[in-house]
Amino acid sequence: QKEVEQDPGPLSVPEGAIVSLNCTYSNSAFQYFMWYRQYSRKGPELLMYTYSSGNKEDGRFTAQVDKSSKYISLFIRDSQPSDSATYLCAMSATRGRRALTFGSGTRLQVQP
Amino acid sequence: KAGVTQTPRYLIKTRGQQVTLSCSPISGHRSVSWYQQTPGQGLQFLFEYFSETQRNKGNFPGRFSGRQFSNSRSEMNVSTLELGDSALYLCASSLDRGADTQYFGPGTRLTVL
């Protein structure tokens, strides 16, 4: 069983919809949680970073971490066709966040 | 500011050969990490270098190795290539100051025939 599980999708939604992306994990040592977005033929880019449990909002994006359930979420409000990409959750037990453990990624398609 | 650059972008090799991939981090970044991305296993951490020293290592066989130069540029080498080594190899750099962000390059697509 993988340390981080993520539904691969694909997830197809109409423009303007609220998107919910989720990951579960098994390693209790994880304290730093990130969401990356990866467009086709590009490297991942950091969207959101959260330390321990709680919520964090940045524009249309909200990240939630529930350490008691070992569950993290990313919400995208008012989704746009430009949000179509693969979304990867990533986690780390160390403050430097460099040896990351990634989920397999969820492919999102926002239909205009 | 220029991003992380990786060369070559695409590479085709045959089984048994070896390959060297190169990564130039963002100017001023001292930490370089390497990841392998495949459809089956996703993104997996290979190793991290800082000040020319390997600081962290993932769970990969010894055929995978790397090094970092004094200018922070990094190379990774895979010897005795196997079909399963076909993947996108991603390099990421960071400043290495506390909880800083890793910036990824576009990757090198390696195909092993």
Side-chain angles (χ1 to χ4, degrees), chain B residues 12 14 18 32-34 44 46 52 83 85 96 98-99 101 112:
Chain B
I12 299 175
T14 56
Q18 75 165 26
V32 174
S33 298
W34 288 90
Q44 294 182 283
L46 279 156
E52 303 178 62
L83 294 179
D85 297 332
D96 192 52
T101 300
V112 182

Side-chain angles (χ1 to χ4, degrees), chain B residues 18-83:
Chain B
Q18 75 165 26
V19 68
T20 300
L21 312 181
S22 181
C23 171
S24 292
I26 292 172
S27 177
H29 285 195
R30 302 165 66 194
S31 168
V32 174
S33 298
W34 288 90
Y35 293 83
Q36 181 197 64
Q37 187 174 29
T38 60
Q41 298 298 318
L43 258 164
Q44 294 182 283
F45 173 73
L46 279 156
F47 29 65
E48 181 212 355
Y49 284 87
F50 175 75
S51 289
E52 303 178 62
T53 301
Q54 188 180 90
R55 187 159 63 176
N56 288 297
K57 190 178 190 303
N59 189 26
F60 277 82
R63 298 186 298 108
F64 292 82
S65 62
R67 59 177 175 168
Q68 185 180 35
F69 301 94
S70 58
N71 62 358
S72 295
R73 191 176 71 85
S74 177
E75 290 181 346
M76 69 162 281
N77 185 77
V78 187
S79 62
T80 319
L81 284 166
E82 301 176 0
L83 294 179

Side-chain angles (χ1 to χ4, degrees), chain A residues 38 43-44 95 97-98 100, chain B residues 31 35 37 48 96 99 102:
Chain A
Q38 187 175 21
R95 186 166 185 264
R97 295 189 283 153
R98 282 175 282 279
L100 301 178
Chain B
S31 168
Y35 293 83
Q37 187 174 29
E48 181 212 355
D96 192 52
Q102 287 191 65

Side-chain angles (χ1 to χ4, degrees), chain A residues 2 32 36 38 41-46 49 88 95-104, chain B residues 9-10 31 33 35 37 40 43 45 48 55 90 94 96 98-102 104-106:
Chain A
K2 291 183 177 180
Y32 301 89
Y36 282 82
Q38 187 175 21
R41 303 184 193 281
K42 301 278 189 181
E45 57 176 327
L46 182 66
Y49 153 69
L88 300 139
R95 186 166 185 264
R97 295 189 283 153
R98 282 175 282 279
L100 301 178
T101 301
F102 280 85
S104 56
Chain B
R9 290 293 310 279
Y10 302 91
S31 168
S33 298
Y35 293 83
Q37 187 174 29
L43 258 164
F45 173 73
E48 181 212 355
R55 187 159 63 176
L90 290 157
S94 64
D96 192 52
D100 61 300
T101 300
Q102 287 191 65
F104 282 83

